[in-house]
Short mmCIF file of all heavy atoms in Angstrom, two decimals:
data_model
loop_
_atom_site.label_atom_id
_atom_site.label_comp_id
_atom_site.label_asym_id
_atom_site.label_seq_id
_atom_site.Cartn_x
_atom_site.Cartn_y
_atom_site.Cartn_z
N MET L 1 -35.10 36.21 -40.92
CA MET L 1 -35.23 36.84 -39.60
C MET L 1 -35.05 38.35 -39.74
O MET L 1 -34.17 38.81 -40.43
CB MET L 1 -34.17 36.27 -38.66
CG MET L 1 -34.25 36.83 -37.26
SD MET L 1 -33.05 36.05 -36.15
CE MET L 1 -33.29 37.07 -34.71
N GLU L 2 -35.91 39.09 -39.08
CA GLU L 2 -35.85 40.54 -39.14
C GLU L 2 -35.04 41.08 -37.96
O GLU L 2 -35.06 40.53 -36.88
CB GLU L 2 -37.25 41.13 -39.12
CG GLU L 2 -38.04 40.76 -40.36
CD GLU L 2 -39.49 41.17 -40.22
OE1 GLU L 2 -40.09 40.88 -39.19
OE2 GLU L 2 -39.99 41.78 -41.15
N LYS L 3 -34.36 42.18 -38.20
CA LYS L 3 -33.52 42.72 -37.15
C LYS L 3 -33.54 44.25 -37.21
O LYS L 3 -33.52 44.83 -38.28
CB LYS L 3 -32.08 42.22 -37.35
CG LYS L 3 -31.18 42.44 -36.17
CD LYS L 3 -29.94 41.54 -36.32
CE LYS L 3 -29.10 41.61 -35.06
NZ LYS L 3 -28.22 42.75 -35.01
N ILE L 4 -33.62 44.85 -36.04
CA ILE L 4 -33.67 46.31 -35.95
C ILE L 4 -32.32 46.81 -35.47
O ILE L 4 -31.79 46.33 -34.48
CB ILE L 4 -34.77 46.74 -34.96
CG1 ILE L 4 -36.12 46.15 -35.38
CG2 ILE L 4 -34.83 48.26 -34.87
CD1 ILE L 4 -37.15 46.17 -34.27
N GLU L 5 -31.78 47.78 -36.17
CA GLU L 5 -30.47 48.31 -35.81
C GLU L 5 -30.49 49.83 -35.79
O GLU L 5 -31.18 50.46 -36.60
CB GLU L 5 -29.41 47.85 -36.82
CG GLU L 5 -29.13 46.37 -36.77
CD GLU L 5 -28.04 45.97 -37.75
OE1 GLU L 5 -27.84 46.70 -38.75
OE2 GLU L 5 -27.40 44.95 -37.52
N VAL L 6 -29.70 50.41 -34.88
CA VAL L 6 -29.45 51.84 -34.89
C VAL L 6 -28.00 52.07 -35.28
O VAL L 6 -27.09 51.52 -34.65
CB VAL L 6 -29.72 52.47 -33.50
CG1 VAL L 6 -29.33 53.94 -33.50
CG2 VAL L 6 -31.18 52.31 -33.12
N ASN L 7 -27.79 52.84 -36.32
CA ASN L 7 -26.44 53.21 -36.74
C ASN L 7 -25.99 54.39 -35.88
O ASN L 7 -26.47 55.52 -36.05
CB ASN L 7 -26.44 53.59 -38.22
CG ASN L 7 -25.04 53.92 -38.72
OD1 ASN L 7 -24.14 54.23 -37.94
ND2 ASN L 7 -24.86 53.86 -40.02
N LYS L 8 -25.10 54.12 -34.95
CA LYS L 8 -24.69 55.16 -34.00
C LYS L 8 -23.83 56.23 -34.65
O LYS L 8 -23.62 57.30 -34.08
CB LYS L 8 -23.98 54.53 -32.81
CG LYS L 8 -24.95 53.74 -31.93
CD LYS L 8 -24.35 53.44 -30.58
CE LYS L 8 -25.39 52.81 -29.67
NZ LYS L 8 -24.87 52.65 -28.30
N ASP L 9 -23.32 55.97 -35.83
CA ASP L 9 -22.59 57.02 -36.56
C ASP L 9 -23.55 58.09 -37.07
O ASP L 9 -23.14 59.22 -37.35
CB ASP L 9 -21.84 56.41 -37.75
CG ASP L 9 -20.66 55.56 -37.29
OD1 ASP L 9 -20.14 55.79 -36.19
OD2 ASP L 9 -20.29 54.65 -38.05
N LEU L 10 -24.83 57.73 -37.20
CA LEU L 10 -25.83 58.67 -37.69
C LEU L 10 -26.71 59.22 -36.58
O LEU L 10 -27.18 60.35 -36.65
CB LEU L 10 -26.72 57.99 -38.75
CG LEU L 10 -26.02 57.55 -40.03
CD1 LEU L 10 -27.00 56.80 -40.92
CD2 LEU L 10 -25.44 58.74 -40.77
N CYS L 11 -26.98 58.42 -35.54
CA CYS L 11 -27.88 58.83 -34.45
C CYS L 11 -27.35 60.08 -33.76
O CYS L 11 -26.16 60.21 -33.49
CB CYS L 11 -28.00 57.69 -33.44
SG CYS L 11 -29.02 58.11 -32.01
N ILE L 12 -28.28 61.02 -33.48
CA ILE L 12 -27.91 62.25 -32.77
C ILE L 12 -28.53 62.28 -31.36
O ILE L 12 -28.48 63.30 -30.68
CB ILE L 12 -28.35 63.49 -33.56
CG1 ILE L 12 -29.86 63.46 -33.85
CG2 ILE L 12 -27.54 63.60 -34.86
CD1 ILE L 12 -30.41 64.74 -34.49
N GLY L 13 -29.15 61.18 -30.97
CA GLY L 13 -29.70 61.09 -29.61
C GLY L 13 -30.89 61.98 -29.35
O GLY L 13 -31.12 62.41 -28.23
N CYS L 14 -31.69 62.23 -30.37
CA CYS L 14 -32.83 63.15 -30.22
C CYS L 14 -33.96 62.56 -29.38
O CYS L 14 -34.78 63.30 -28.85
CB CYS L 14 -33.36 63.55 -31.59
SG CYS L 14 -34.25 62.25 -32.44
N GLY L 15 -34.03 61.24 -29.30
CA GLY L 15 -35.04 60.59 -28.48
C GLY L 15 -36.36 60.32 -29.16
O GLY L 15 -37.27 59.78 -28.53
N ALA L 16 -36.50 60.68 -30.42
CA ALA L 16 -37.78 60.49 -31.11
C ALA L 16 -38.18 59.03 -31.17
O ALA L 16 -39.34 58.69 -30.92
CB ALA L 16 -37.70 61.07 -32.52
N CYS L 17 -37.24 58.16 -31.48
CA CYS L 17 -37.58 56.74 -31.58
C CYS L 17 -38.05 56.19 -30.24
O CYS L 17 -38.97 55.39 -30.19
CB CYS L 17 -36.40 55.94 -32.11
SG CYS L 17 -34.87 56.13 -31.16
N MET L 18 -37.42 56.64 -29.16
CA MET L 18 -37.80 56.17 -27.83
C MET L 18 -39.19 56.68 -27.45
O MET L 18 -39.96 55.99 -26.78
CB MET L 18 -36.77 56.62 -26.80
CG MET L 18 -35.47 55.84 -26.93
SD MET L 18 -34.06 56.67 -26.17
CE MET L 18 -33.37 57.51 -27.59
N ALA L 19 -39.52 57.89 -27.88
CA ALA L 19 -40.84 58.44 -27.60
C ALA L 19 -41.92 57.68 -28.37
O ALA L 19 -43.01 57.45 -27.84
CB ALA L 19 -40.87 59.93 -27.98
N ILE L 20 -41.60 57.29 -29.58
CA ILE L 20 -42.58 56.59 -30.43
C ILE L 20 -42.70 55.13 -30.04
O ILE L 20 -43.80 54.58 -29.99
CB ILE L 20 -42.17 56.72 -31.92
CG1 ILE L 20 -42.25 58.18 -32.36
CG2 ILE L 20 -43.01 55.81 -32.80
CD1 ILE L 20 -41.56 58.46 -33.68
N CYS L 21 -41.60 54.49 -29.75
CA CYS L 21 -41.59 53.04 -29.54
C CYS L 21 -40.66 52.68 -28.38
O CYS L 21 -39.60 52.09 -28.60
CB CYS L 21 -41.15 52.37 -30.84
SG CYS L 21 -41.42 50.60 -30.85
N PRO L 22 -41.06 53.00 -27.15
CA PRO L 22 -40.16 52.80 -26.01
C PRO L 22 -39.86 51.34 -25.70
O PRO L 22 -38.86 51.06 -25.03
CB PRO L 22 -40.90 53.48 -24.86
CG PRO L 22 -42.33 53.49 -25.27
CD PRO L 22 -42.32 53.64 -26.76
N GLU L 23 -40.70 50.42 -26.17
CA GLU L 23 -40.41 49.01 -25.88
C GLU L 23 -39.28 48.46 -26.75
O GLU L 23 -38.72 47.42 -26.45
CB GLU L 23 -41.67 48.14 -26.04
CG GLU L 23 -42.18 48.04 -27.45
CD GLU L 23 -43.24 49.10 -27.77
OE1 GLU L 23 -43.22 50.20 -27.18
OE2 GLU L 23 -44.10 48.82 -28.61
N THR L 24 -38.96 49.20 -27.80
CA THR L 24 -37.90 48.73 -28.71
C THR L 24 -36.64 49.57 -28.62
O THR L 24 -35.53 49.05 -28.72
CB THR L 24 -38.40 48.74 -30.16
OG1 THR L 24 -39.52 47.87 -30.26
CG2 THR L 24 -37.31 48.29 -31.14
N PHE L 25 -36.80 50.88 -28.40
CA PHE L 25 -35.63 51.77 -28.41
C PHE L 25 -35.39 52.34 -27.02
O PHE L 25 -36.32 52.84 -26.37
CB PHE L 25 -35.83 52.90 -29.42
CG PHE L 25 -35.98 52.41 -30.83
CD1 PHE L 25 -37.23 52.35 -31.41
CD2 PHE L 25 -34.88 51.99 -31.56
CE1 PHE L 25 -37.39 51.87 -32.71
CE2 PHE L 25 -35.03 51.51 -32.85
CZ PHE L 25 -36.28 51.46 -33.43
N GLU L 26 -34.14 52.28 -26.60
CA GLU L 26 -33.74 52.85 -25.31
C GLU L 26 -32.48 53.69 -25.53
O GLU L 26 -31.74 53.50 -26.50
CB GLU L 26 -33.43 51.74 -24.30
CG GLU L 26 -34.66 50.96 -23.88
CD GLU L 26 -34.34 49.90 -22.82
OE1 GLU L 26 -33.15 49.77 -22.43
OE2 GLU L 26 -35.29 49.22 -22.39
N MET L 27 -32.26 54.61 -24.57
CA MET L 27 -31.03 55.40 -24.61
C MET L 27 -29.87 54.57 -24.06
O MET L 27 -29.96 54.03 -22.96
CB MET L 27 -31.22 56.68 -23.79
CG MET L 27 -30.13 57.71 -24.00
SD MET L 27 -30.16 58.42 -25.67
CE MET L 27 -31.39 59.72 -25.46
N ASP L 28 -28.81 54.46 -24.82
CA ASP L 28 -27.64 53.72 -24.36
C ASP L 28 -26.79 54.63 -23.47
O ASP L 28 -27.04 55.84 -23.36
CB ASP L 28 -26.84 53.26 -25.59
CG ASP L 28 -26.05 51.99 -25.31
OD1 ASP L 28 -25.93 51.59 -24.13
OD2 ASP L 28 -25.55 51.41 -26.29
N SER L 29 -25.79 54.06 -22.84
CA SER L 29 -24.95 54.82 -21.90
C SER L 29 -24.17 55.93 -22.60
O SER L 29 -23.71 56.87 -21.95
CB SER L 29 -24.00 53.88 -21.18
OG SER L 29 -23.21 53.16 -22.11
N ASP L 30 -24.03 55.83 -23.90
CA ASP L 30 -23.31 56.87 -24.66
C ASP L 30 -24.24 57.99 -25.13
O ASP L 30 -23.81 58.89 -25.85
CB ASP L 30 -22.57 56.26 -25.85
CG ASP L 30 -23.49 55.47 -26.77
OD1 ASP L 30 -24.72 55.56 -26.61
OD2 ASP L 30 -22.97 54.77 -27.66
N GLY L 31 -25.53 57.95 -24.72
CA GLY L 31 -26.45 59.01 -25.08
C GLY L 31 -27.07 58.84 -26.46
O GLY L 31 -27.77 59.73 -26.93
N LEU L 32 -26.85 57.69 -27.07
CA LEU L 32 -27.42 57.39 -28.37
C LEU L 32 -28.39 56.22 -28.23
O LEU L 32 -28.36 55.48 -27.24
CB LEU L 32 -26.32 57.05 -29.37
CG LEU L 32 -25.25 58.13 -29.54
CD1 LEU L 32 -24.13 57.64 -30.47
CD2 LEU L 32 -25.85 59.43 -30.08
N ALA L 33 -29.27 56.08 -29.22
CA ALA L 33 -30.30 55.05 -29.11
C ALA L 33 -29.73 53.67 -29.39
O ALA L 33 -28.74 53.50 -30.11
CB ALA L 33 -31.41 55.36 -30.11
N LYS L 34 -30.41 52.68 -28.82
CA LYS L 34 -30.11 51.29 -29.16
C LYS L 34 -31.42 50.53 -29.21
O LYS L 34 -32.39 50.87 -28.52
CB LYS L 34 -29.17 50.65 -28.15
CG LYS L 34 -29.76 50.51 -26.75
CD LYS L 34 -28.80 49.78 -25.82
CE LYS L 34 -29.38 49.69 -24.41
NZ LYS L 34 -28.48 48.98 -23.49
N ALA L 35 -31.45 49.50 -30.04
CA ALA L 35 -32.62 48.64 -30.13
C ALA L 35 -32.48 47.51 -29.13
O ALA L 35 -31.41 46.90 -29.02
CB ALA L 35 -32.77 48.08 -31.54
N VAL L 36 -33.54 47.25 -28.37
CA VAL L 36 -33.46 46.24 -27.33
C VAL L 36 -34.32 45.01 -27.63
O VAL L 36 -34.37 44.09 -26.82
CB VAL L 36 -33.84 46.83 -25.95
CG1 VAL L 36 -32.80 47.87 -25.53
CG2 VAL L 36 -35.22 47.44 -25.96
N ASN L 37 -34.98 45.01 -28.76
CA ASN L 37 -35.59 43.75 -29.21
C ASN L 37 -35.72 43.82 -30.73
O ASN L 37 -35.42 44.85 -31.35
CB ASN L 37 -36.93 43.47 -28.52
CG ASN L 37 -38.03 44.39 -28.98
OD1 ASN L 37 -38.35 44.46 -30.16
ND2 ASN L 37 -38.64 45.10 -28.04
N ASN L 38 -36.13 42.73 -31.31
CA ASN L 38 -36.18 42.64 -32.77
C ASN L 38 -37.59 42.44 -33.30
O ASN L 38 -37.79 41.91 -34.39
CB ASN L 38 -35.29 41.50 -33.26
CG ASN L 38 -33.83 41.90 -33.25
OD1 ASN L 38 -33.48 42.99 -33.68
ND2 ASN L 38 -32.98 41.02 -32.75
N GLU L 39 -38.57 42.84 -32.51
CA GLU L 39 -39.95 42.67 -32.95
C GLU L 39 -40.36 43.81 -33.86
O GLU L 39 -40.36 44.98 -33.46
CB GLU L 39 -40.88 42.61 -31.74
CG GLU L 39 -42.33 42.37 -32.13
CD GLU L 39 -43.26 42.37 -30.92
OE1 GLU L 39 -42.77 42.25 -29.79
OE2 GLU L 39 -44.47 42.52 -31.13
N ILE L 40 -40.70 43.47 -35.09
CA ILE L 40 -41.14 44.48 -36.05
C ILE L 40 -42.63 44.73 -35.88
O ILE L 40 -43.43 43.81 -35.92
CB ILE L 40 -40.89 44.01 -37.50
CG1 ILE L 40 -39.48 43.48 -37.69
CG2 ILE L 40 -41.19 45.14 -38.49
CD1 ILE L 40 -38.40 44.49 -37.57
N ASN L 41 -43.00 45.98 -35.66
CA ASN L 41 -44.42 46.33 -35.59
C ASN L 41 -44.60 47.73 -36.18
O ASN L 41 -43.64 48.36 -36.64
CB ASN L 41 -44.94 46.23 -34.15
CG ASN L 41 -44.15 47.08 -33.18
OD1 ASN L 41 -43.71 48.18 -33.54
ND2 ASN L 41 -43.96 46.60 -31.97
N ASP L 42 -45.83 48.21 -36.16
CA ASP L 42 -46.10 49.50 -36.80
C ASP L 42 -45.35 50.65 -36.11
O ASP L 42 -44.92 51.60 -36.77
CB ASP L 42 -47.60 49.78 -36.80
CG ASP L 42 -48.34 48.93 -37.82
OD1 ASP L 42 -47.67 48.34 -38.69
OD2 ASP L 42 -49.58 48.86 -37.74
N GLU L 43 -45.22 50.57 -34.79
CA GLU L 43 -44.51 51.64 -34.07
C GLU L 43 -43.03 51.67 -34.46
O GLU L 43 -42.44 52.74 -34.59
CB GLU L 43 -44.65 51.44 -32.56
CG GLU L 43 -46.04 51.77 -32.05
CD GLU L 43 -46.16 51.62 -30.54
OE1 GLU L 43 -45.36 50.86 -29.95
OE2 GLU L 43 -47.04 52.28 -29.96
N VAL L 44 -42.44 50.50 -34.63
CA VAL L 44 -41.04 50.44 -35.05
C VAL L 44 -40.89 51.07 -36.44
O VAL L 44 -39.95 51.83 -36.70
CB VAL L 44 -40.54 48.99 -35.07
CG1 VAL L 44 -39.18 48.89 -35.74
CG2 VAL L 44 -40.47 48.45 -33.64
N LYS L 45 -41.84 50.74 -37.31
CA LYS L 45 -41.78 51.31 -38.67
C LYS L 45 -41.97 52.82 -38.63
O LYS L 45 -41.32 53.55 -39.38
CB LYS L 45 -42.83 50.63 -39.55
CG LYS L 45 -42.50 49.17 -39.82
CD LYS L 45 -43.64 48.47 -40.56
CE LYS L 45 -43.32 46.99 -40.75
NZ LYS L 45 -44.46 46.25 -41.33
N THR L 46 -42.87 53.30 -37.76
CA THR L 46 -43.05 54.75 -37.62
C THR L 46 -41.78 55.40 -37.10
O THR L 46 -41.38 56.47 -37.57
CB THR L 46 -44.22 55.04 -36.67
OG1 THR L 46 -45.41 54.47 -37.21
CG2 THR L 46 -44.43 56.54 -36.50
N ALA L 47 -41.13 54.77 -36.12
CA ALA L 47 -39.88 55.30 -35.59
C ALA L 47 -38.81 55.36 -36.67
O ALA L 47 -38.08 56.35 -36.78
CB ALA L 47 -39.41 54.44 -34.42
N GLU L 48 -38.74 54.32 -37.47
CA GLU L 48 -37.76 54.30 -38.56
C GLU L 48 -38.01 55.48 -39.51
O GLU L 48 -37.08 56.20 -39.90
CB GLU L 48 -37.87 52.98 -39.34
CG GLU L 48 -36.90 52.91 -40.52
CD GLU L 48 -37.28 51.82 -41.51
OE1 GLU L 48 -38.47 51.50 -41.63
OE2 GLU L 48 -36.36 51.29 -42.16
N GLU L 49 -39.28 55.69 -39.84
CA GLU L 49 -39.62 56.77 -40.78
C GLU L 49 -39.42 58.15 -40.15
O GLU L 49 -39.19 59.13 -40.86
CB GLU L 49 -41.07 56.61 -41.23
CG GLU L 49 -41.29 55.36 -42.08
CD GLU L 49 -42.77 55.01 -42.24
OE1 GLU L 49 -43.61 55.76 -41.70
OE2 GLU L 49 -43.07 54.01 -42.89
N SER L 50 -39.52 58.22 -38.82
CA SER L 50 -39.46 59.51 -38.13
C SER L 50 -38.05 59.93 -37.74
O SER L 50 -37.83 61.09 -37.38
CB SER L 50 -40.32 59.45 -36.87
OG SER L 50 -41.66 59.15 -37.20
N CYS L 51 -37.12 59.01 -37.78
CA CYS L 51 -35.75 59.35 -37.38
C CYS L 51 -35.18 60.43 -38.29
O CYS L 51 -35.14 60.25 -39.50
CB CYS L 51 -34.86 58.10 -37.43
SG CYS L 51 -33.13 58.47 -37.07
N PRO L 52 -34.74 61.56 -37.73
CA PRO L 52 -34.30 62.68 -38.57
C PRO L 52 -33.01 62.41 -39.34
O PRO L 52 -32.72 63.12 -40.30
CB PRO L 52 -34.12 63.82 -37.57
CG PRO L 52 -33.87 63.14 -36.27
CD PRO L 52 -34.69 61.88 -36.30
N THR L 53 -32.26 61.43 -38.91
CA THR L 53 -30.98 61.14 -39.59
C THR L 53 -30.98 59.78 -40.29
O THR L 53 -29.92 59.32 -40.74
CB THR L 53 -29.81 61.20 -38.59
OG1 THR L 53 -30.02 60.19 -37.60
CG2 THR L 53 -29.72 62.56 -37.92
N ASN L 54 -32.14 59.14 -40.36
CA ASN L 54 -32.24 57.81 -40.99
C ASN L 54 -31.26 56.82 -40.39
O ASN L 54 -30.66 56.01 -41.10
CB ASN L 54 -32.02 57.91 -42.50
CG ASN L 54 -33.16 58.62 -43.20
OD1 ASN L 54 -34.33 58.41 -42.88
ND2 ASN L 54 -32.84 59.49 -44.14
N ALA L 55 -31.12 56.88 -39.07
CA ALA L 55 -30.17 55.99 -38.39
C ALA L 55 -30.75 54.60 -38.13
O ALA L 55 -30.01 53.68 -37.85
CB ALA L 55 -29.76 56.62 -37.06
N ILE L 56 -32.08 54.48 -38.22
CA ILE L 56 -32.72 53.20 -37.90
C ILE L 56 -32.88 52.38 -39.17
O ILE L 56 -33.40 52.87 -40.17
CB ILE L 56 -34.09 53.42 -37.25
CG1 ILE L 56 -33.91 54.19 -35.93
CG2 ILE L 56 -34.80 52.08 -37.01
CD1 ILE L 56 -35.23 54.69 -35.34
N LYS L 57 -32.43 51.14 -39.08
CA LYS L 57 -32.59 50.23 -40.21
C LYS L 57 -33.32 48.98 -39.75
O LYS L 57 -33.04 48.43 -38.69
CB LYS L 57 -31.23 49.82 -40.78
CG LYS L 57 -30.48 50.98 -41.44
CD LYS L 57 -31.17 51.44 -42.72
CE LYS L 57 -30.52 52.67 -43.31
NZ LYS L 57 -31.44 53.81 -43.40
N ILE L 58 -34.28 48.55 -40.56
CA ILE L 58 -34.95 47.29 -40.33
C ILE L 58 -34.48 46.34 -41.41
O ILE L 58 -34.77 46.52 -42.59
CB ILE L 58 -36.48 47.46 -40.37
CG1 ILE L 58 -36.94 48.43 -39.28
CG2 ILE L 58 -37.16 46.10 -40.19
CD1 ILE L 58 -38.42 48.76 -39.33
N ASN L 59 -33.72 45.35 -40.98
CA ASN L 59 -33.17 44.38 -41.93
C ASN L 59 -34.07 43.18 -42.00
O ASN L 59 -34.45 42.61 -40.99
CB ASN L 59 -31.78 43.93 -41.48
CG ASN L 59 -30.80 45.08 -41.44
OD1 ASN L 59 -30.74 45.89 -42.36
ND2 ASN L 59 -30.04 45.17 -40.38
N LYS L 60 -34.40 42.78 -43.20
CA LYS L 60 -35.19 41.58 -43.39
C LYS L 60 -34.31 40.55 -44.07
O LYS L 60 -33.96 40.69 -45.23
CB LYS L 60 -36.43 41.90 -44.22
CG LYS L 60 -37.37 42.82 -43.49
CD LYS L 60 -38.58 43.18 -44.33
CE LYS L 60 -39.49 44.11 -43.53
NZ LYS L 60 -40.59 44.62 -44.32
N GLU L 61 -33.96 39.54 -43.29
CA GLU L 61 -33.06 38.51 -43.80
C GLU L 61 -33.84 37.23 -44.02
O GLU L 61 -34.77 36.91 -43.30
CB GLU L 61 -31.92 38.26 -42.78
CG GLU L 61 -31.10 39.52 -42.51
CD GLU L 61 -30.16 39.31 -41.32
OE1 GLU L 61 -30.13 38.21 -40.77
OE2 GLU L 61 -29.48 40.28 -40.97
N ASP L 62 -33.42 36.50 -45.01
CA ASP L 62 -34.06 35.20 -45.28
C ASP L 62 -33.70 34.20 -44.20
O ASP L 62 -32.63 34.24 -43.66
CB ASP L 62 -33.63 34.68 -46.64
CG ASP L 62 -34.20 35.57 -47.76
OD1 ASP L 62 -35.30 36.12 -47.58
OD2 ASP L 62 -33.50 35.69 -48.78
S1 SF4 N 101 -34.82 58.97 -33.73
FE1 SF4 N 101 -32.89 58.50 -34.81
S2 SF4 N 101 -31.47 60.14 -34.23
FE2 SF4 N 101 -33.17 60.20 -32.78
S3 SF4 N 101 -32.45 58.96 -31.03
FE3 SF4 N 101 -33.62 57.59 -32.41
S4 SF4 N 101 -32.09 56.66 -33.78
FE4 SF4 N 101 -31.14 58.46 -32.80
#
């Protein structure tokens, strides 16, 4: 099972992931991003690659 996570220790709340993939990333109440579903698609991968602090991780579990 694949899972999308935002490491809030790294996230700076720049909003890039939400701009690229708004169906997956939303701003949490603390001003940092959170993932709201676990569907892996090209936009999610682009957001992961575009995050300036590498806070987004896509975990692929057996
Ligand atoms: S792109 Fe990265 S640093 Fe910016 S809001 Fe998203 S997770 Fe946080």
Side-chain angles (χ1 to χ4, degrees):
M1 182 176 173
E2 295 171 312
K3 194 163 187 278
I4 303 163
E5 291 182 336
V6 175
N7 183 340
K8 290 196 173 187
D9 290 335
L10 296 176
C11 177
I12 57 173
C14 72
C17 55
M18 287 161 264
I20 295 166
C21 192
E23 67 267 29
T24 299
F25 299 102
E26 292 183 359
M27 192 68 84
D28 208 348
S29 57
D30 56 11
L32 303 175
K34 65 176 178 180
V36 294
N37 72 57
N38 282 316
E39 183 183 343
I40 311 293
N41 56 36
D42 286 346
E43 287 182 336
V44 170
K45 292 173 183 173
T46 300
E48 178 197 30
E49 293 166 1
S50 301
C51 175
T53 62
N54 291 319
I56 298 169
K57 293 292 175 240
I58 299 175
N59 298 315
K60 294 178 180 173
E61 300 170 2
D62 292 328

